[in-house]
Amino acid sequence: MMNRVLLSKNAYYSSVKLRKRIGLPLDVPIPIYDIVENYGIDVRFLDTKSIEGMYSKTPGPAILIGAYRPKGRQTFTCAHELAHHIFDHGSKIDEIKEYKIQDSEEEFLADCFAGYFLIPPFAINYIVKLKKWSLSKLTPIQTLYLSNYFGVGYTTIINHLCYSLKLISTDKLRELVSHSKKNIYNQLTQMTISSDLLIIDNCHKINMDVNVGDFVYTPKDIFYEGINLSLENILSDGNLYKAVSVGISRFTNNQNDWAKYCRISKKDFVGRNKYKHLGEADDA
């Protein structure tokens, strides 16, 4: 059995190689679904509660993702299944497990690749330096921002910072995971929010994806253009929007020409990814 340190290094260098091949810098987040489909792999969301994800090699490469999983988990799963394609592992089915211990070399390699591909150290260092934060002093709200920035789950970013990148201590990990997202949302908005909340600002480099019912928090200098989100609350240092319909809207900052699209899909969407923001499933 190959040493897991070597597997991790293999995953890292393979993720760097792929970013260079597709012309994606090492210091930016990844629009994973766009990247995978541009790579010639079909992405579909399945009506199942037992499967995390699946990679099908034949008849044509396809990645299948459980429609009812959290958005951050779906992002990681897509990158994980892409790894099975990159490393030519053949068709794979990943079931949902409450305690997921990767005892398979292929599954461990795919997890490592997904983490490095989605959240490379260069990108972490770039955004933390840009925001003038300290990794050793990260607050729960800052950590939530980082998870939003990279499109992954709150605990996923914490585990990656600690175990893969060695950028925070295990004590810091325990401190951050002790805060629930619901409490962080309440601290930020002074409201009780049961769905997901996305924090964005003009540091974001890729378009953002949310589900109907989710909330978007922006600073005061960000303006909203569209009909798919409604202004829910005006806060002292920002605005809170709620996604109310499927479609594509835009956030802008006229002071620096920053603009990014916000793509809104139906919650628990089932069908092909390319139809997700059109509100149509595709059973073909």
Side-chain angles (χ1 to χ4, degrees):
M1 180 176 291
M2 185 179 293
N3 185 293
R4 295 215 159 187
V5 173
L6 295 179
L7 284 172
S8 181
K9 287 183 177 180
N10 184 13
Y12 173 71
Y13 288 119
S14 296
S15 72
V16 171
K17 183 178 178 181
L18 180 56
R19 274 181 173 257
K20 289 183 177 179
R21 186 189 310 161
I22 62 181
L24 195 67
L26 294 174
D27 60 353
V28 299
I30 282 183
I32 186 63
Y33 301 117
D34 300 338
I35 293 296
V36 168
E37 291 191 331
N38 289 340
Y39 207 76
I41 303 174
D42 190 24
V43 180
R44 297 175 182 242
F45 294 87
L46 291 183
D47 182 10
T48 176
K49 294 184 178 181
S50 62
I51 293 177
E52 191 89 63
M54 175 179 175
Y55 169 67
S56 176
K57 185 175 181 178
T58 56
I63 289 175
L64 312 175
I65 301 170
Y68 305 106
R69 302 299 287 153
K71 283 200 307 295
R73 190 66 216 173
Q74 290 174 333
T75 299
F76 191 88
T77 295
C78 189
H80 174 101
E81 303 304 335
L82 173 63
H84 288 315
H85 177 82
I86 297 297
F87 293 108
D88 197 23
H89 289 164
S91 297
K92 295 286 182 180
I93 297 178
D94 294 309
E95 297 180 345
I96 296 173
K97 298 178 181 178
E98 185 175 357
Y99 300 102
K100 192 174 182 181
I101 300 175
Q102 299 293 24
D103 52 2
S104 158
E105 285 188 1
E106 291 184 349
E107 294 302 322
F108 178 79
L109 181 63
D111 266 359
C112 290
F113 175 89
Y116 290 128
F117 191 53
L118 293 170
I119 321 165
F122 298 97
I124 284 287
N125 291 330
Y126 169 83
I127 188 61
V128 169
K129 183 178 180 180
L130 184 66
K131 303 292 283 185
K132 298 180 180 179
W133 293 343
S134 166
L135 284 168
S136 64
K137 298 178 181 178
L138 274 181
T139 68
I141 289 178
Q142 290 171 348
T143 307
L144 177 66
Y145 176 93
L146 290 177
S147 73
N148 293 166
Y149 183 80
F150 291 101
V152 299
Y154 179 75
T155 55
T156 296
I157 193 85
I158 297 169
N159 286 329
H160 189 65
L161 287 172
C162 180
Y163 297 120
S164 298
L165 302 183
K166 314 294 186 186
L167 293 175
I168 63 172
S169 67
T170 54
D171 286 341
K172 188 63 180 178
L173 176 144
R174 284 190 287 269
E175 174 200 330
L176 291 172
V177 298
S178 69
H179 296 268
S180 70
K181 286 200 298 184
K182 185 176 293 187
N183 288 339
I184 301 171
Y185 296 166
N186 181 274
Q187 180 185 348
L188 182 66
T189 67
Q190 302 304 307
M191 293 175 56
T192 299
I193 294 176
S194 56
S195 54
D196 279 345
L197 182 148
L198 179 70
I199 307 173
I200 67 163
D201 60 18
N202 56 24
C203 294
H204 279 249
K205 293 179 174 290
I206 60 175
N207 297 320
M208 57 214 76
D209 294 323
V210 300
N211 294 334
V212 171
D214 290 348
F215 289 82
V216 178
Y217 175 87
T218 72
K220 293 289 189 181
D221 59 354
I222 300 293
F223 297 92
Y224 170 66
E225 301 173 352
I227 60 172
N228 308 108
L229 289 90
S230 66
L231 180 61
E232 290 292 302
N233 200 3
I234 299 175
L235 305 167
S236 60
D237 54 357
N239 295 322
L240 187 68
Y241 298 87
K242 184 176 183 179
V244 295
S245 64
V246 173
I248 300 177
S249 295
R250 193 169 78 142
F251 286 98
T252 65
N253 185 325
N254 295 332
Q255 297 177 8
N256 59 12
D257 295 325
W258 175 91
K260 286 292 177 285
Y261 288 104
C262 182
R263 305 180 296 192
I264 304 97
S265 63
K266 176 183 175 183
K267 181 176 172 59
D268 302 332
F269 171 83
V270 173
R272 299 181 74 181
N273 176 70
K274 65 180 182 178
Y275 297 126
K276 188 165 60 171
H277 310 110
L278 302 178
E280 300 176 11
D282 176 30
D283 297 326

